Amino acid sequence: MDVEAARLLAAGLCMGIGAIGPAVGEGIAASKALEAMGRNPEVAGNIFTNMIIAMAVTETTGIYSLVISFLILFAV
Amino acid sequence: MPINYQSKIIMDKPNVQFVPDTLFSVGPLNFSTGHLAMFVIVILISVVLVSIASRAKLKPSRAQLALEAVLVWFLEKVEKSFSNKKVARRIFPLIMTMFFVILVSNLFSILPFVDALTFGDGVPLLRAPTSDVSMTLALGIFSVVLSHVIAFIKSPLGHLSNYFTIMPVFKAKNGGEFGQALFDFFLHLYDIIGEMAKIVSISFRLFGNIFSGVAMAAVFGFLAPYIIPMPFNVIGIFSGCIQAVVFSLLALQFLSSPLASVEGNE
């Protein structure tokens, strides 16, 4: 395996493995928020705002791996 | 016949840059396209906000209503996170400044005139400042350092004792307590690393989101320039707004939590 192939594989694996965590985390956040909205529809707007913010924080690790894979692809 | 592994995509890559282009340098300092864009953004925000604020009336215009809605939403959050209302009122302008600067920087690339301005060999003159890691790192360092400065001024010893819990080690009466105190001391030293991780996490979250938008636009502009990039642009606008809110709320959290822990010690 030459260096170019290893680089492309590394970028793909980095993004693919790194996307698992945020996906599961955001799914949990969404499911819990929907449960809460179903139980208490009056505060649905408030819950939705907080859910979006929590999701943006959750997806940070995914963003890290995206940055790393961009680094591997374009900067190294 | 040997297979040509070097496909077209690998041969000529889309133009994705981590460091913005330098316009001119003064000594070791480079004045980049991101800096120029920052100047434009600051002037833009000042002009728009001052013109809205100077025309503020009891019967508000649409722009004034929108601005007031944003301000009130943030004011509620700021006043909730500080126990003292006076401190909250002093921190509030800082949080709002961060929010507006980051919001406009994130959405800067969708302004119509930005892509058209170029210099040299078609290098864009203006680049969204938050897609440069030095800008987000500076904002992160600023907010975390400021939070410690505020807490330190409020109660120097109280703040330091959150990180160097040396007193229980001397007060320990027997071996078990001494071991526990020593363990706590080393455990609290880890909080210092935690504070540094705050800087990295907050700044790379913003940088990663905005830079991935820029890189995505470059890649799709290279692969399929028409129609297909549109949904990604919508996602970019959405995440730009969300990240501005998230950054300012996290900065607020960082600013209020050391102060709260100092007040709790008293």
Side-chain angles (χ1 to χ4, degrees), chain B residues 210-259:
Chain B
I210 306 311
F211 179 77
S212 70
V214 171
M216 215 58 110
V219 171
F220 277 105
F222 179 77
L223 291 176
Y226 304 108
I227 312 282
I228 294 171
M230 271 165 57
F232 294 95
N233 284 342
V234 174
I235 291 173
I237 293 167
F238 181 67
S239 79
C241 297
I242 296 294
Q243 288 306 318
V245 176
V246 165
F247 191 97
S248 30
L249 287 185
L250 281 177
L252 173 62
Q253 189 67 41
F254 290 176
L255 285 167
S256 66
S257 63
L259 203 59

Side-chain angles (χ1 to χ4, degrees), chain A:
Chain A
M1 193 158 65
D2 63 347
V3 179
E4 185 67 32
R7 240 162 45 96
L8 293 176
L9 255 181
L13 281 177
C14 174
M15 193 60 244
I17 297 170
I20 297 172
V24 174
E26 287 193 14
I28 291 171
S31 81
K32 291 287 174 192
L34 287 175
E35 268 177 29
M37 281 180 201
R39 213 174 292 137
N40 196 354
E42 292 98 69
V43 290
N46 200 3
I47 290 172
F48 183 74
T49 328
N50 286 335
M51 182 195 78
I52 293 287
I53 292 169
M55 276 184 166
V57 176
T58 311
E59 74 178 5
T60 309
T61 46
I63 296 292
Y64 290 162
S65 56
L66 184 64
V67 171
I68 296 294
S69 73
F70 273 131
L71 263 174
I72 295 171
L73 275 182
F74 298 115
V76 181

Side-chain angles (χ1 to χ4, degrees), chain B residues 182-231:
Chain B
L182 208 61
F183 182 69
D184 278 351
F185 174 69
F186 285 113
L187 210 59
H188 277 89
L189 284 184
Y190 275 111
D191 285 353
I192 298 170
I193 301 170
E195 294 301 310
M196 292 175 186
K198 267 185 187 176
I199 296 175
V200 175
S201 82
I202 195 172
S203 54
F204 275 82
R205 175 178 303 123
L206 182 59
F207 166 71
N209 267 288
I210 306 311
F211 179 77
S212 70
V214 171
M216 215 58 110
V219 171
F220 277 105
F222 179 77
L223 291 176
Y226 304 108
I227 312 282
I228 294 171
M230 271 165 57

Side-chain angles (χ1 to χ4, degrees), chain B residues 2 10 30 32 34 38 49 52 58 69 86 107 146 152-153 185 190 194 216 229 231 243 261 266:
Chain B
I10 302 168
N30 288 337
S32 72
M38 198 71 224
L49 291 190
I52 292 175
L58 204 59
K86 228 175 106 195
L107 302 181
L146 182 69
F152 189 77
I153 288 170
F185 174 69
Y190 275 111
M216 215 58 110
Q243 288 306 318
S261 70
E266 278 171 357

